[in-house]
Amino acid sequence: LDACVDLVIELGYDRLTMDAVAKRARASKATLYRRWESKASLVVEALIRAKQSPHIGDHDTGSLRGDLLSTFCGHQGINETATKVLGSVITALSTDPEFAEQFRERFIAPKVAVTQAIYHRAQERGEIGPDVDLEVIGPALAGILLHRTFILGVPPDDATIERVVDHVILPAVQHPACGGRTTKLTSTLKRNTKARKTS
């Protein structure tokens, strides 16, 4: 699995072969096929289980802000190796349907579940309202970080993650720590929209 991740980073998903992984791991191709039926299944499991792969855990700190920072900052979040791995397989999401399906079900879905659990706990604690659209807000932090990494070429550090949490995520969910600024802004936007419709 570690050999597979190394080769994904070196070659990219499209150029990776089972032969290359077998050679790097000093194993036979038959050994690989006994365990993994395809390149897609091998790569996805390598992304999940290999030592170099990115992982996030569920950290219940007692607050939404604490949970998000504990989950995404430090070695838990997006590091240099994780960036290289994800960058190497991202094109395969549109070119290899088998890989895309397994990647989303086995690699992405558990991470989404962790994030959803963070927001559900926040709702249970009364930190955010029950009407917050978790389907939209849940992936927002990861989406911003990935955009900065792959589109802008600026890998985020812990300070950036903290800024996104404080200036985007918490205001978006009308977190009490924001002093009600989002609520006031929403009311203003509603009044302006109503005025335009009336005119």
Side-chain angles (χ1 to χ4, degrees):
L1 296 176
D2 290 335
C4 181
V5 169
D6 289 341
L7 286 169
V8 165
I9 293 174
E10 291 176 21
L11 304 175
Y13 179 85
D14 292 338
R15 294 172 56 200
L16 180 74
T17 64
M18 298 290 269
D19 282 331
V21 176
K23 183 177 180 180
R24 178 67 62 92
R26 297 177 181 175
S28 69
K29 190 165 68 170
T31 299
L32 268 63
Y33 275 113
R34 278 198 296 269
R35 174 107 181 237
W36 298 283
E37 61 184 13
S38 65
K39 178 174 79 170
S41 60
L42 168 60
V43 171
V44 170
E45 185 161 352
L47 294 178
I48 295 170
R49 298 180 55 192
K51 289 182 294 186
Q52 309 99 312
S53 296
H55 299 284
I56 63 171
D58 192 356
H59 303 270
D60 187 353
T61 65
S63 73
L64 174 60
R65 184 179 189 275
D67 286 0
L68 291 174
L69 295 183
S70 180
T71 298
F72 286 91
C73 288
H75 69 280
Q76 316 287 350
I78 300 178
N79 53 47
E80 183 178 356
T81 299
T83 299
K84 291 178 179 179
V85 170
L86 294 177
S88 298
V89 302
I90 200 164
T91 57
L93 294 175
S94 59
T95 60
D96 188 324
E98 180 190 357
F99 173 79
E101 180 180 4
Q102 293 196 38
F103 180 80
R104 290 177 178 127
E105 288 182 358
R106 300 175 57 200
F107 184 82
I108 296 297
K111 293 172 173 53
V112 171
V114 169
T115 304
Q116 292 292 304
I118 289 173
Y119 285 99
H120 281 301
R121 282 199 301 267
Q123 286 183 327
E124 292 171 357
R125 289 191 296 256
E127 289 186 89
I128 62 177
D131 58 338
V132 172
D133 190 341
L134 298 184
E135 185 178 354
V136 172
I137 198 65
L141 176 56
I144 292 171
L145 300 181
L146 290 172
H147 177 270
R148 290 179 62 85
T149 300
F150 293 112
I151 305 301
L152 302 182
V154 184
D157 53 18
D158 288 355
T160 300
I161 294 171
E162 187 171 359
R163 285 167 55 206
V164 175
V165 169
D166 289 340
H167 295 282
V168 179
I169 304 302
L170 298 186
V173 298
Q174 302 182 26
H175 192 279
C178 298
R181 288 174 294 177
T182 303
T183 302
K184 294 176 183 177
L185 177 59
T186 301
S187 299
T188 301
L189 290 173
K190 287 181 177 178
R191 285 198 302 272
N192 291 341
T193 302
K194 185 177 180 180
R196 284 196 298 269
K197 289 181 178 178
T198 302
S199 61

